[in-house]
Amino acid sequence: QVQLVESGGGLVQAGGSLRLSCAASGRTFSSYSMAWFRQAPGKEREFVAAISWSSGYTDYVGSVKGRFTISRDNAKNTVYLQMNSLKPEDTAVYYCAARLHYGLPRTILEYGYWGQGTQVTVSS
C-alpha cells in the first residue's frame, strides 16, 4: 500500500516554472514505478511523464519533452516534476500515480494508486 500527496501547484505566468512534489507513504516506495498525469477542464486525464523505480528509465508525452523533467528521491519517498517554459495549455490538475510493477505505461488503469491532485494554472 502507498498513499500519495501532491504539492507545489499554483498560478504562474507563461514562460515561468514550477516544481511539483509527490510524497509517498509506505516502506516500499522504491519498488514502485511513478508517473504524473494531468486533467484539464472538460478533458480526459492524460499521461505526462513516468519514471522507473531506479530512475534509469523515463518517459514523457511529446508536448512536454524538453520542458518537463521527472525525478525521484527514494530516500525521501518523493517524486518530482520540474516544469519549465510553462504554457497556458499546461493548465490542469496534476496527479501523481504509482504502480507496483515494471514498465512505464501511459494508461490510467495501469496505476493502482493516486494522489488527490494539485492545480497548476498558467496565465498568458
Side-chain angles (χ1 to χ4, degrees), residues 9-74:
L11 174 64
V12 63
Q13 289 188 333
S17 298
L18 282 175
R19 188 176 81 156
L20 306 183
S21 299
C22 173
S25 65
R27 294 179 295 176
T28 59
F29 173 77
S30 60
S31 301
Y32 288 82
S33 296
M34 302 296 297
W36 288 95
F37 286 74
R38 66 186 179 186
Q39 187 166 17
K43 294 188 176 182
E44 294 186 350
R45 192 171 300 188
E46 66 169 355
F47 171 83
V48 176
I51 188 167
S52 64
W53 68 272
S54 67
S55 302
Y57 296 96
T58 58
D59 185 31
Y60 297 90
V61 68
S63 59
V64 309
K65 275 184 180 178
R67 300 189 298 123
F68 290 11
T69 302
I70 188 170
S71 61
R72 67 190 294 166
D73 185 338
N74 288 341

Side-chain angles (χ1 to χ4, degrees), residues 34-117:
M34 302 296 297
W36 288 95
F37 286 74
R38 66 186 179 186
Q39 187 166 17
K43 294 188 176 182
E44 294 186 350
R45 192 171 300 188
E46 66 169 355
F47 171 83
V48 176
I51 188 167
S52 64
W53 68 272
S54 67
S55 302
Y57 296 96
T58 58
D59 185 31
Y60 297 90
V61 68
S63 59
V64 309
K65 275 184 180 178
R67 300 189 298 123
F68 290 11
T69 302
I70 188 170
S71 61
R72 67 190 294 166
D73 185 338
N74 288 341
K76 295 182 178 180
N77 282 11
T78 302
V79 63
Y80 305 97
L81 185 68
Q82 178 66 44
M83 306 186 295
N84 299 328
S85 303
L86 282 161
K87 305 175 181 180
E89 51 263 44
D90 294 318
T91 295
V93 177
Y94 283 72
Y95 297 90
C96 176
R99 63 181 253 118
L100 187 57
H101 298 286
Y102 291 114
L104 302 179
R106 296 186 172 195
T107 52
I108 295 171
L109 291 178
E110 296 286 350
Y111 293 85
Y113 304 97
W114 293 84
Q116 82 290 347

